[in-house]
Amino acid sequence: MKNKDSNYDINDIFPMDIRDDFLFPLDTYRLFLEGLSITPSAFYSKWSDVNVLSIIDKYWKPNQKSDWKWSLTFPFFSLLENYINTINQPIVIGFSGLPGSGKSTLGFWIDNVARELSLDIKVISLDDFYLPAQEMDFAMKGNPWNVPRGFPGSHSLDLLHQSLDVFLKTGILRSPTFDKSLRDGKGDRSGWCELKSKILILEGWFVGCEPVSDLNNIDSLSEDKFNLSLSQDEKDYRSLIQESLIKYSKIWKKFDKIWHLKSSHFNNTILWKTQQEEEMIKIKGSGLKGNNLTDFIRMIQSSIPQQSLSFINADTTVQINQHRRIDKLLTTKYHF
């Protein structure tokens, strides 16, 4: 379909093998790129260049789909490159997505390609700011899911505030690192790192999630459509989590933008988290399994109202289905 304001046909720019991998109309893709102020012809030319491909292809998982490349990774990275060329001060970008959705895979790719291209872009996880073991065990004691970590209240928020404030002033971030495979899958801090960058991406499963405006009516946010029957203990405890989220929302205010890798159905995370832990066990020999994994998934499903997690106020939203295929694209300029 031709753009009346431009002299191009997007069908002529993107080859059939790429277009056939899209689960959404090509015109939706055109509007998405325009909403991000990306010129399709220059965009395709840059990311299909053989010299660029020799760098970026090293960090894909086998058989990476074209939609993941061209509708998420390349547009996101193009905006990061644009920021590098236009901003004077360090910025933080939030990236949100349910556990197992692919955030870490994307972060790994961005970190490595940015390093290869000598770009000041770094990715860290909210998980790295988990409380150290003894404090974590105390903070998590008595939660109805019996999980060792994960929900709002399990992070060192004062440290995170301080670290981000220093970064925004100096471009230097000092943060802990957290290894989820330690303590038989309960996890613990494994050290510290210091990095210098112009752009910092902070990813996490409830990044950008705001507390419910009326805590007294939190139970009116019915989860019945997700076939989720909350126990009274779960209802009581997630009110406490909502109070914790108020503190996290102050972190989100430090973000310049938020991107949301949104699940088409909340229950997709059951499969994704299971696959994620199986992969960790395969690689590191330890991870959540059995009842521990079941309890953790239940926490993801019920600790925060699913409506809150599904409708994060993001600048850009890329929706994925159960198979992590992209089926919807949204920007603040265009909504489809």
Side-chain angles (χ1 to χ4, degrees), residues 19 58 91 93 97 100 119 127 141 144 161 186 197-198 216 269-270 278 285-286 291 299:
R19 303 198 312 264
K58 290 193 293 185
I91 62 170
I93 296 176
L119 297 175
D127 293 353
K141 187 176 181 180
H161 270 293
K186 292 176 68 176
S197 186
K198 200 171 184 180
N216 291 325
T269 196
I270 299 173
E278 289 173 348
S286 180
N291 290 337
M299 179 275 293

Side-chain angles (χ1 to χ4, degrees), residues 169-239:
K169 291 178 181 178
T170 67
I172 297 173
L173 181 89
R174 187 169 186 269
S175 72
T177 56
F178 194 90
D179 188 338
K180 297 176 184 176
S181 69
L182 297 178
R183 300 198 301 152
D184 294 324
K186 292 176 68 176
D188 196 4
R189 286 188 181 173
S190 55
W192 289 79
C193 73
E194 184 172 292
L195 59 86
K196 182 174 176 60
S197 186
K198 200 171 184 180
I199 299 175
L200 182 70
I201 300 166
L202 178 65
E203 60 94 351
W205 75 274
F206 61 86
V207 161
C209 185
E210 296 289 347
V212 176
S213 57
D214 185 359
L215 285 178
N216 291 325
N217 291 324
I218 185 173
D219 290 340
S220 67
L221 295 175
S222 173
E223 310 290 357
D224 289 344
K225 65 179 180 178
F226 300 103
N227 298 316
L228 193 67
S229 179
L230 296 175
S231 69
Q232 190 58 50
D233 284 344
E234 287 174 323
K235 291 179 180 179
D236 292 343
Y237 204 91
R238 71 176 188 166
S239 292

